[in-house]
Amino acid sequence: MTTLDTAPAAVSTALLEDFSLEMTGKDVPALEEARATIPPGTRVHVTFLGNEDLPTRLAAARAVKRLGFVPVPHLSARRLASRADFERFLAGLRADGLCENVLAVGGDPASPEGPYEDSLSLIDSGLLRDHGVRHVGISGYPEGHPAIPGDVLWSVLRDKSAALAAQGLEGGVVTQFGFDVDPVLAWIERLRDEGIALPVRIGVPGPAGVRRLLGYAARFGVATSAGIARKYGLSLTNLMGTAGPDRFLHALAEGYDPARHGQVKIHFYTFGGLRATSEWVARFRTARPA
């Protein structure tokens, strides 16, 4: 079982002051259930899954706003079958005042289902700005991507940062989750060295069963060596246990230097556990040194 240690002041104030959460289109009941433990105005990302349709995604974004949070709908480039599909989604968001913030991702399909190969093509289309989008999140991969070479990832990040600036759009980077702080902080330092000053939201798994966490890690190419697992609090021999990100956040607080790393916040991947994650964060933020 995970233990809730005392949270360092740096985590409970700066890093967790404006955390964000992630949900699917079908998680609206779970969001309603967790509402009391989530600070008003929290950014809640709504994923773009292949097994969910446009009405489901729009209804989820509306629910996020209705419950007092900030919706961040995801746009999956390779899942958009046509320019008309892209415009239809953006128009639906705009009609309900839900389009100010989005996250642009390439998406899971190996081949595009339509004209958009990657998230850069969504930005370059001009449709985001035309539909009232003001802030665009883009993805970052501190431990690399299983299907994309590292030099390509850095080149694309530079291109997307430049494209956002050219379009007059604000931006931010949301990273893939991981279990080891060291590569995350090293990656952010390189990001700054590359001249990319966008704010970063570090992806962190919410509390979940070890088996589930390892399953997601394998799917997304996240390192889970025995040493990393021990650092994080995962037990590779006890897959029935649970783990939370307390050790990760403590280590992050100790290594985070605003002068070197710039603006950094936390993004929680809830893996279906919105209430468990929001309650965990509430407890962690209110813990105080003895």
Side-chain angles (χ1 to χ4, degrees):
M1 295 292 288
T2 185
T3 58
L4 183 65
D5 299 325
T6 302
V11 172
S12 59
T13 56
L15 293 177
L16 279 177
E17 183 62 30
D18 179 28
F19 69 90
S20 53
L21 297 165
E22 190 154 308
M23 63 177 282
T24 72
K26 297 176 182 177
D27 284 336
V28 172
L31 183 65
E32 292 175 336
E33 185 181 59
R35 178 183 185 181
T37 55
I38 303 174
T42 294
R43 297 168 68 88
V44 179
H45 288 229
V46 180
T47 58
F48 195 110
L49 300 180
N51 61 355
E52 294 177 349
D53 57 16
L54 176 61
T56 299
R57 299 180 189 118
L58 291 176
R62 284 194 294 268
V64 171
K65 182 178 180 181
R66 172 176 56 82
L67 293 171
F69 310 120
V70 177
V72 184
H74 288 195
L75 306 169
S76 180
R78 288 189 288 275
R79 290 193 184 282
L80 292 166
S82 66
R83 179 184 174 93
D85 277 355
F86 188 17
E87 290 185 292
R88 191 156 35 246
F89 189 23
L90 291 174
L93 293 172
R94 186 172 190 174
D96 290 321
L98 307 170
C99 63
E100 186 169 325
N101 302 274
V102 300
L103 179 77
V105 300
D108 291 335
S111 300
E113 297 175 10
Y116 303 107
E117 183 178 0
D118 52 29
S119 56
L120 180 59
S121 63
L122 299 182
I123 298 169
D124 284 341
S125 73
L127 292 175
L128 299 177
R129 183 191 56 204
D130 291 347
H131 285 79
V133 174
R134 295 180 56 189
H135 185 283
V136 180
I138 56 177
S139 299
Y141 299 90
E143 296 184 33
H145 189 288
I148 305 174
D151 58 339
V152 174
L153 287 174
W154 283 110
S155 176
V156 169
L157 262 178
R158 290 191 294 268
D159 290 346
K160 286 190 282 192
S161 178
L164 290 173
Q167 294 272 344
L169 296 168
E170 298 176 8
V173 182
V174 180
T175 76
Q176 178 58 276
F177 74 89
F179 300 122
D180 191 358
V181 165
D182 293 340
V184 173
L185 292 176
W187 181 87
I188 296 175
E189 286 196 54
R190 177 170 176 183
L191 191 74
R192 303 317 180 201
D193 290 342
E194 294 280 346
I196 301 173
L198 297 174
V200 174
R201 288 185 177 269
I202 298 174
V204 176
V210 172
R211 188 186 298 275
R212 171 172 283 195
L213 290 174
L214 293 176
Y216 278 105
R219 176 182 172 187
F220 295 115
V222 175
T224 54
S225 69
I228 291 172
R230 284 194 299 270
K231 284 174 63 176
Y232 190 83
L234 296 169
S235 172
L236 300 184
T237 59
N238 179 17
L239 300 183
M240 300 305 293
T242 61
D246 42 311
R247 293 188 188 183
F248 183 96
L249 292 177
H250 281 301
L252 180 61
E254 292 172 1
Y256 171 57
D257 179 358
R260 286 188 296 153
H261 302 119
Q263 184 177 339
V264 173
K265 303 291 184 182
I266 302 298
H267 176 73
F268 286 99
Y269 292 91
T270 61
F271 300 136
L274 272 166
R275 182 172 179 176
T277 298
S278 60
E279 289 178 347
W280 188 96
V281 174
R283 294 195 304 270
F284 193 86
R285 292 181 69 194
T286 55
R288 290 293 181 266

